[in-house]
Amino acid sequence: MFEEIKKSLKVSIWFMFLTFPIMVIKVNLTDKVIIWRWKNLILVGIGSFFLSFIWRYLLERKAKKAKKEEMGIGQTSIFLKIFNNPKYAKPLYIIFLLFILAFPFIFSMYQTNIMISALIYVMLGLGLNIVVGLAGLLDLGYVAFYAVGAYSYALLNYHFHINFWLALPIGGLLAAIFGIVLGFPVLRLRGDYLAIVTLGFGEIIRLILENWDEFSFGPSGISNIPRPSLFGINLGVKESTIFIYYLIVFMSIITIFVVNRLQNSRLGRAWIALREDEIACQAMGIDKTKTKLTAFALGATWAGFGGVIFAAKTTFINPASFTFLESAIILSIVVLGGMGSIQGVILAALIMILLPEYLRAFSDYRMLIFGASMVLMMVFRPEGLIPSSRRKYEYDPTKR
Amino acid sequence: MNKKEPILDVKNISMHFGGLKAVDKLSLQVYPDEIVALIGPNGAGKTTFFNCITGIYEPTLGDVFVLRDGKKRRLNGLKPNKVTELGLARTFQNIRIFSNMTVLENVMVGRHCRTKSWVIGAILRDKKTRQEEIETIEYSYNLLEKLDLHKFANEMAKNLPYGAQKKLEIARALATDPVLLLLDEPAAGLNPQETSELKDIINKIKEEEKISILLIEHDMKLVMNISDRVYVMESGRLLAQGTPREISQNPEVIKAYLGEEHA
Ligand SMILES: Nc1ncnc2c1ncn2[C@@H]1O[C@H](COP(=O)(O)OP(=O)(O)O)[C@@H](O)[C@H]1O
Ligand SMILES: [Mg+2]
């Protein structure tokens, strides 16, 4: 116990020392005086003292759990237990689906709009999940493909009056082509290097959109993008919001369906093998180039779809919607949810997008909470909210 | 001694890393239904030799040919996946299984180069794809049974004991339907009982599957026991070759290699 107190004391002294310049010293420029806020120092000291206790307790608990798991008596988390047991999982999914379907009739337009955003992120998260979660390619420029989708609808509509329904597949296709174009130069890169190059790619696309006025109308963006029509009938704002809502629900279900099928296929296994060990994967006869490019293209396709829907929803787009922050949020969704886990990504997308909307009070601290929760996740639950589990193939040797 | 054409025909290959000649003008043949061992002290260049013929490195000089279905193909410069398609399968000195996949899935990945379905097949899951998938599962499961790993089929590969992981690597390599199996130190780290089981497995692969085997191994007892011929490498060069008996009596080999251990 005494040891513990000493440790925490050390931590709190360190924290007081480190935060001293920002928390205690305040320079008042108008009066040219320095204000010493000693109260803050005490608060930091006491706070970090207790937090370090909690921190160590949690770490200890985690270590204990790991040990238990090693001895084979590890208990899976409640989440996993529920999700892996079809008896609970099925009704849960059905209730969730019914809730989603009834959503626009229960809640206001404002809420429905937020939900549309969240579902777009579900799609984006699932798309990036193919690239990062399954194929293990750390892509920090994913938002570029989202931008490609959004701008293809906006520009095609502006110049050629192409409607939403035609733009949707075109946006997806263009994004896929961009995925391959990005994929080629980075085929040899892995991990950090890949992350840096894709980050650069994302920024390049944004800078082009911002500066090439003749092409993309620069920072002022494109407005008056039409909402989707229904059999040629133009809908009012309310109807069309509801319509877009069901459209994105439908698209999300398609995404889930497709990603689920992909990950349990020959191709999906090749992706995971690539993620697990590139050299062994090639030695098993898997064409690395083809497999990686397919991952980039298929991942980008969903971002392209998402972009078209986003443009149709907001009716206005400009480069500011496609900053690195978006890529970071989408990546966090994948990591937070659990790499390669469809349920995890959906849950994380809903949490990440809905929570900040409903916790407006904390909006000043949004990035702080965001960062802190990422760190905590990485330390205590690196496998994500709902860790992915591999499919078990049933094979009965007696039925040959 | 063998009138048949070699399955693997390596002619004078060299692999240079800057000034270091890790493999220096090495020639080696493996004939059908043969178990050949490649021995030599650590750092002799054995693993590098494997990497050269499986496409991980492109040899600086020389040629590698493989015979599959009566056709002779040159392997130099081909990517590793092409080499596997042409019939060379390998295991690694340091285990390289896919840890976060199930044991069965690991073997199923090995079937990749003998199956076809891609994006459309995966999404639509049409009859042909389903059929292919069932065949893949069946083929893989049968392989697991042959190596007595089927009880682990749905375990995560990382949870297997070391010996089973080594066997899994062999199963995975066999799933690619090779004509020649390259094993890099398969007995390293195994206990005597597992080593004897490995010996039976290697013999079984040769007898039942008609697959030739080229193995790198330090366990002299195993090497002398199972191999038809032995090649000895030292500092990248070929020191000697011959039957196990000839090798164990070769004075140069005894001096350079066995000598160390017997001294
Ligand atoms: N990629 C590489 N770059 C430079 N040197 C290498 C490389 N791979 C192997 N070597 C060197 O080649 C020599 C042979 O290594 P290796 O083939 O692993 O020996 P063995 O498998 O016989 O123990 C060693 O000296 C090793 O350091
Ligand atoms: Mg070696």
Side-chain angles (χ1 to χ4, degrees), chain B residues 17 20 22 41-49 57 93 185:
Chain B
F17 295 114
L20 174 76
N42 275 326
K46 306 178 299 293
T47 300
T48 308
F49 173 75
Y57 299 145
Q93 184 172 346
E185 304 200 9

Side-chain angles (χ1 to χ4, degrees), chain A residues 257-292 294 298 302 388-397 399-400, chain B residues 56 79-82 84-85 88-90 92 95-102 104-106 108-119 122-125 132-133 136-138 141-142 145 154 156 172-173 176:
Chain A
F257 175 81
V258 169
V259 173
N260 182 41
R261 284 214 157 169
L262 283 174
Q263 81 175 17
N264 289 313
S265 71
R266 171 176 179 263
L267 175 57
R269 287 192 298 271
W271 282 335
I272 298 171
L274 191 71
R275 175 189 81 192
E276 293 292 303
D277 190 318
E278 204 167 300
I279 289 179
C281 163
Q282 281 184 287
M284 289 302 106
I286 291 169
D287 187 337
K288 188 176 95 177
T289 309
K290 197 172 147 194
T291 309
K292 273 193 184 179
T294 313
L298 283 176
W302 300 110
S388 69
S389 56
R390 291 305 302 159
R391 177 165 170 210
K392 304 222 183 318
Y393 290 90
E394 299 304 330
Y395 179 68
D396 185 359
K399 276 195 299 187
R400 265 187 203 154
Chain B
I56 292 180
K79 285 199 210 154
N81 56 301
K82 279 283 164 214
T84 308
E85 243 170 72
L88 298 197
R90 69 171 293 180
F92 296 87
I95 297 181
R96 282 178 175 271
I97 49 167
F98 307 123
S99 319
N100 291 309
M101 297 175 92
T102 65
L104 185 64
E105 278 182 316
N106 264 270
M108 286 167 78
V109 170
R111 291 303 292 160
H112 191 95
C113 59
R114 305 292 169 223
T115 44
K116 285 205 178 60
S117 83
W118 203 238
V119 180
I123 296 172
L124 298 182
R125 228 175 251 178
E132 192 183 271
E133 194 75 359
T136 303
I137 295 172
E138 207 168 291
Y141 195 91
N142 287 344
E145 267 182 338
N154 279 325
M156 281 293 174
R172 193 180 65 176
T176 65

Side-chain angles (χ1 to χ4, degrees), chain A residues 234-278:
Chain A
N234 289 319
L235 302 166
V237 175
K238 188 176 170 205
E239 287 77 27
S240 95
T241 304
I242 293 182
F243 181 58
I244 292 180
Y245 178 82
Y246 283 111
L247 178 74
I248 186 73
V249 169
F250 176 73
M251 287 299 288
S252 303
I253 292 172
I254 297 267
T255 315
I256 295 166
F257 175 81
V258 169
V259 173
N260 182 41
R261 284 214 157 169
L262 283 174
Q263 81 175 17
N264 289 313
S265 71
R266 171 176 179 263
L267 175 57
R269 287 192 298 271
W271 282 335
I272 298 171
L274 191 71
R275 175 189 81 192
E276 293 292 303
D277 190 318
E278 204 167 300

